[in-house]
């Protein structure tokens, strides 16, 4: 990726997408400071670069700079009020700040424009911020049946209610999740280490292992 980004900047030093690509690459490399540098360069060239704003707010959030992250997220919605990723992220942020009713209203709007985004926003708010597992699972069923997405909220509900056979039926790679729910952290670590051998490019796996 770096080779082609270098070449792009040789051809056009003022190309916003080249800086944007470096921002995304830095975010993937878990380097939020570099993400911020490159995203800001991209936005200096193209102030309406929505993807760069999204990567920038994610980098701010990973550093605990929540006010700057929120401001960037609001900037995204000012530039593009219909942006699905921006509205989905804002829905979750509303939940985190205790404004769940507003998040549900936003989920209704999302649902009118994009079923999968709306259903996911409803399921997220209902399961993790209202504690209504059954209602969240019903949104998860609609998400899977009507949009073709995985039934993640359904097996998550079964996981929370300790119906582990149902979790395995819907998600065959759930052993580490079930072990975590039961507090068997050595088994979680062992399972994730095997995953790291099988999928060495998934940078989330070492982080999950460290958490376990």
């Amino acid at each position: 990726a770096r080779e082609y980004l270098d070449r792009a900047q040789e051809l056009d030093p003022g190309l916003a997408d080249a800086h944007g690509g470096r921002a995304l690459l830095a975010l993937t490399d878990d380097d939020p400071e570099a993400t911020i540098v490159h995203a800001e360069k991209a936005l200096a060239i193209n102030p309406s670069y929505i993807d760069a704003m999204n990567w920038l707010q994610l980098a701010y959030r990973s550093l605990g700079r929540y006010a700057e992250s929120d401001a960037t997220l609001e900037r995204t919605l000012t530039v593009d009020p219909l942006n699905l990723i921006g509205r989905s992220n804002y829905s979750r942020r509303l939940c985190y700040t205790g404004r769940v009713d507003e998040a549900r209203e936003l989920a209704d709007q999302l649902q009118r424009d994009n079923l999968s985004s709306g259903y996911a926003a409803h399921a997220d708010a209902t399961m993790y911020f209202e504690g209504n597992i059954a209602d969240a699972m019903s949104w998860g069923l609609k998400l899977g049946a009507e949009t073709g997405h995985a039934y993640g909220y359904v097996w998550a509900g079964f996981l929370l209610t300790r119906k582990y056979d149902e979790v395995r039926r819907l998600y065959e790679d759930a052993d580490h999740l079930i072990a975590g729910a039961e507090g068997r952290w050595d088994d979680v670590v062992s399972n994730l280490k095997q995953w790291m051998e099988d999928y060495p490019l998934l940078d989330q796996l070492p982080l999950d292992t460290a958490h376990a």
Side-chain angles (χ1 to χ4, degrees):
R2 290 187 180 90
E3 174 187 348
Y4 291 104
L5 287 168
D6 290 343
R7 180 64 178 141
Q9 285 190 299
E10 286 176 14
L11 294 169
D12 184 355
L15 183 65
D17 285 314
H19 292 293
R22 293 191 190 281
L24 177 58
L25 189 62
L27 192 67
T28 305
D29 279 343
D30 196 23
D31 187 353
E33 289 91 351
T35 299
I36 291 169
V37 169
H38 292 298
E40 287 180 341
K41 287 180 179 179
L43 288 165
I45 298 168
N46 177 7
S48 298
Y49 193 164
I50 294 295
D51 285 336
M53 290 182 209
N54 185 46
W55 300 326
L56 181 60
Q57 70 91 11
L58 289 171
Y60 280 139
R61 191 161 306 284
S62 72
L63 293 171
R65 295 164 63 175
Y66 300 119
E68 291 163 288
S69 178
D70 289 348
T72 306
L73 188 53
E74 289 172 5
R75 177 183 174 188
T76 301
L77 295 176
T78 299
V79 172
D80 183 1
L82 300 181
N83 185 264
L84 289 174
I85 294 175
R87 286 191 290 166
S88 296
N89 288 337
Y90 192 58
S91 174
R92 177 164 265 261
R93 186 61 189 154
L94 287 171
C95 288
Y96 272 117
T97 54
R99 298 156 65 186
V100 179
D101 288 343
E102 292 178 63
R104 297 299 290 268
E105 291 176 9
L106 183 52
D108 285 337
Q109 296 173 24
L110 280 166
Q111 187 177 325
R112 289 193 289 270
D113 297 333
N114 182 276
L115 279 180
S116 59
S117 297
Y119 288 166
H122 271 299
D124 209 46
T126 306
M127 180 172 287
Y128 298 113
F129 298 95
E130 293 182 329
N132 189 334
I133 295 173
D135 193 28
M137 291 173 73
S138 73
W139 285 109
L141 284 169
K142 289 165 68 72
L143 180 64
E146 297 180 28
T147 71
H149 278 242
Y151 289 86
Y153 289 103
V154 181
W155 64 250
F158 283 131
L159 184 69
L160 289 169
T161 53
R162 299 183 178 276
K163 292 178 170 50
Y164 299 138
D165 287 342
E166 291 298 313
V167 177
R168 289 190 179 95
R169 186 171 66 83
L170 291 169
Y171 181 33
E172 62 183 18
D173 293 321
D175 285 347
H176 69 291
L177 296 171
I178 294 168
E182 293 181 336
R184 295 183 283 107
W185 300 109
D186 288 342
D187 291 340
V188 177
V189 171
S190 176
N191 188 288
L192 290 176
K193 281 183 175 178
Q194 181 60 54
W195 275 39
M196 279 192 280
E197 292 181 12
D198 296 338
Y199 307 104
L201 296 181
L202 290 181
D203 56 1
Q204 183 65 31
L205 293 175
L207 185 61
D208 289 344
T209 308
H211 283 163

